[in-house]
Amino acid sequence: MIVIGGGAIGAACAQALARAGRSVMVLDRGAAAAGAPGTPPAGDAWRASAGMLAPQIEVRHDEALFDLGLAGRELYAALAETLRESTGIDIGLWQEGIARVAVSEADAVEVRSAVAWQRQKGHIADWLDAGEVRARWPWLGPTCGALWAPRDGALQPTRLVEALLADAAAHGARVVQETVTALEHRGPRVTTVVGASGECYHAEQVVVAAGAWSGRLAGLPRPLSVEPVRGQIAAVPWPAAVPRAIIYHRGGYLLARGDEALVGSTMEYVGYDAEVTAEGIASLFNRVSALCPQLQRADVQHTWAGLRPLTPDGRPIIGRAPLSDNLWYATGHGRNGILFAAITGQLVAQLLAGETPEQDLAPMSPERFWRW
């Protein structure tokens, strides 16, 4: 079978399918993790990701997405150990909690509501008042309290993708550097995957996991509702003598990775433009200045941007394409591709095996956009 895309989602699908005994070929436009020469193409969402595993922080007001995110987060402890044993790669899993702070009374009302909703559902979430926040993180600016999610965390996305593809290869998968341009059909079946090189590839099953580029494939049975959204991130030195932490506020975050502080991220509808802009980086620092005022004077070490694949309702597309016998979608994961990667790989493997997943996939079904 063919997996189109070798980013976090495609790599997770390939790894799960290869471990299930499938013969897998990954067609990846960059294939950097497989050792392809040259500079990787710009815009890959996973290369520009902070790698947060934050369903209790980022996923709101959508019960189906929230539950899927929790299931995805819980897979990573075992997966990290499996990948370390198989490949020797440490994916940098860190699950020591994330705080979502409120910097105004209006924020506090919303954050308290989120704590109450999660606790009513039996999840571990705490409300910290302003004094408790100040005691835990004295380097933060003034707050009105915070949601504390002790099981949320992060990992290193580049290591994750490298490890997933290496483990897939150890179980027989092949990674080929190829930009897929089109699908060819005979009746309800995909017969050929066409590459930009002119090469044609044949497989019994095809999984589209090409991120923001998924909808650009010619020959899709119906238009694929995935749009690129640019996210810009900056890295500055992590404040000296400050314990590592992840602090989140209204789409902006401050995340410790090694000796750096990652400051993110924007959500910009600019098509396939993956350029870093002065305006975008300035907006990041404006947003986090209330969190950590000392960062206003920090030297920016490097910046980057990625294109997240977003759907109209914010939910990923997971399942078989309408009117097709052998075309499957695993795309549209937005800014939570790392969180959803492992669970998506598992779900795709189960679907292709004819199994019924524990998770309710009706809210993620491709049919929700094509009821005509």
Side-chain angles (χ1 to χ4, degrees):
M1 67 176 307
I2 290 174
V3 176
I4 301 172
I9 303 299
C13 290
Q15 188 257 0
L17 290 163
R19 277 190 167 256
R22 296 268 183 173
S23 176
V24 179
M25 175 186 291
V26 180
L27 300 179
D28 180 28
R29 70 190 193 108
T39 303
D44 287 340
W46 61 275
R47 298 185 198 277
S49 171
M52 281 199 294
L53 307 176
Q56 292 184 252
I57 299 296
E58 285 206 305
V59 179
R60 310 174 206 167
H61 314 303
D62 188 325
E63 191 164 349
L65 206 58
F66 182 80
D67 291 343
L68 187 68
L70 289 176
R73 182 190 68 189
E74 295 307 306
L75 287 179
Y76 274 108
L79 179 61
E81 186 59 32
T82 295
L83 294 176
R84 186 184 297 110
E85 291 177 356
S86 172
T87 69
I89 299 170
D90 181 353
I91 66 173
L93 181 64
W94 182 88
Q95 290 182 289
E96 298 177 18
I98 301 179
R100 174 186 165 194
V101 302
V103 296
S104 70
E105 290 300 332
D107 285 344
V109 171
E110 181 181 342
V111 175
R112 276 181 175 275
S113 175
V115 172
W117 182 78
Q118 292 184 26
R119 295 184 73 168
Q120 286 168 0
K121 290 187 160 297
H123 305 301
I124 302 172
D126 295 319
W127 168 256
L128 306 179
D129 64 28
E132 291 172 307
V133 173
R134 186 165 54 252
R136 290 195 186 204
W137 304 284
W139 46 274
L140 285 178
T143 77
C144 296
L147 182 161
W148 174 241
R151 296 184 63 83
D152 279 1
L155 54 76
Q156 294 202 20
T158 54
R159 290 189 193 175
L160 173 67
V161 173
E162 180 186 3
L164 288 170
L165 290 179
D167 187 63
H171 289 82
R174 266 204 315 143
V175 182
V176 177
Q177 184 173 2
E178 178 70 272
T179 298
V180 174
T181 59
L183 306 175
E184 295 180 353
H185 302 258
R186 178 173 300 153
R189 295 188 63 81
V190 176
T191 58
T192 308
V193 176
V194 181
S197 67
E199 190 75 25
C200 293
Y201 304 87
H202 307 280
E204 287 299 308
Q205 303 286 341
V206 176
V207 178
V208 174
W213 288 265
S214 296
R216 301 193 81 180
L217 300 177
L220 293 173
R222 290 178 175 176
L224 192 56
S225 302
V226 177
E227 180 180 1
V229 179
R230 183 171 67 191
Q232 300 187 52
I233 302 180
V236 300
W238 183 257
V242 172
R244 66 182 182 177
I246 305 176
I247 308 294
Y248 183 97
H249 169 62
R250 288 194 172 277
Y253 57 80
L254 180 64
L255 179 150
R257 181 183 291 169
D259 59 358
E260 292 184 332
L262 303 190
V263 180
S265 66
T266 63
M267 291 283 286
E268 304 169 83
Y269 294 83
V270 293
Y272 288 90
D273 181 358
E275 294 297 317
V276 173
T277 67
E279 295 81 5
I281 299 303
S283 74
L284 296 180
F285 284 91
N286 288 338
R287 195 180 304 166
V288 301
S289 61
L291 297 181
C292 185
Q294 60 187 294
L295 287 182
Q296 288 179 308
R297 298 178 296 277
D299 292 329
V300 177
Q301 296 181 323
H302 53 103
T303 59
W304 60 101
L307 302 175
R308 288 87 164 251
L310 196 68
T311 62
D313 60 7
R315 296 172 177 171
I317 301 173
I318 304 172
R320 187 163 59 188
L323 307 180
S324 178
D325 290 345
N326 67 334
L327 178 64
W328 303 81
Y329 293 135
T331 188
H333 294 77
R335 62 186 289 159
N336 288 295
I338 299 300
L339 172 64
F340 292 131
I343 189 70
T344 298
Q346 182 183 88
L347 291 169
V348 167
Q350 290 172 340
L351 290 171
L352 280 162
E355 301 172 3
T356 301
E358 290 184 11
Q359 284 74 29
D360 178 13
L361 288 184
M364 321 298 164
S365 171
E367 282 88 347
R368 71 188 192 273
F369 295 126
W370 299 295
R371 299 191 184 281
W372 43 270

